[in-house]
Amino acid sequence: MKRTLRKQKSAYALSLIFCLIGIVSLILTIWKTYPQLSSSGDPFSTFLSLLWTEKLANISGFEFKLIYLVILGDVMLVSGVILWILSRQWLVLPGETAWFQCPFCKKKWRSIGDKALVHCPHCRQLVHPKMTENKRAVST
Ligand SMILES: [Zn+2]
């Protein structure tokens, strides 16, 4: 369970980073092309042609065209969303929930998996909780 949770958390963080890169790339694209688009009679075809002609950088002969930025942005955004959905699924995939009983205060609580040593949520004692089959609500 712990490993699943960590995987879920890091996937969630990664999905946010991917979405952020994607959004920034697309905003950058619009920001780069906006001056030409606003002065053009046909913004859409101007945008499409700009994608292939506008160069953001020229690194030792390699031309980084605007279209690459758009593709990168799309890929990042899509994989970010997919990762986000996956991380949500991992979140709702906990182990078996069971009722535990504290040997000190006799109170019960519901938790996941079989725990060897936990802090009782009621009396804060470090206990070896007794797993109980009682599925009824927590007695007060
Ligand atoms: Zn207790």
Side-chain angles (χ1 to χ4, degrees), residues 5 12 19 38 43-44 59 62 64 71 79 94 104 119-120 123:
L5 197 67
Y12 184 68
C19 283
S38 56
F44 188 67
I59 307 149
F62 175 77
F64 193 86
I71 292 170
S79 32
F104 293 101
H119 283 279
C120 168
C123 64

Side-chain angles (χ1 to χ4, degrees), residues 20-63:
L20 210 67
I21 293 171
I23 290 165
V24 167
S25 306
L26 294 178
I27 287 173
L28 206 66
T29 307
I30 291 164
W31 177 72
K32 275 294 266 190
T33 54
Y34 187 74
Q36 285 104 317
L37 291 187
S38 56
S39 61
S40 161
D42 188 0
F44 188 67
S45 57
T46 311
F47 180 70
L48 285 184
S49 64
L50 272 174
L51 288 184
W52 293 99
T53 52
E54 186 82 7
K55 293 166 190 75
L56 292 173
N58 197 330
I59 307 149
S60 58
F62 175 77
E63 290 171 342

Side-chain angles (χ1 to χ4, degrees), residues 101-107 109 119-125 127:
Q101 188 177 26
C102 174
F104 293 101
C105 64
K106 305 287 178 204
K107 282 183 178 166
W109 71 94
H119 283 279
C120 168
H122 301 286
C123 64
R124 298 275 154 207
Q125 293 247 43
V127 294

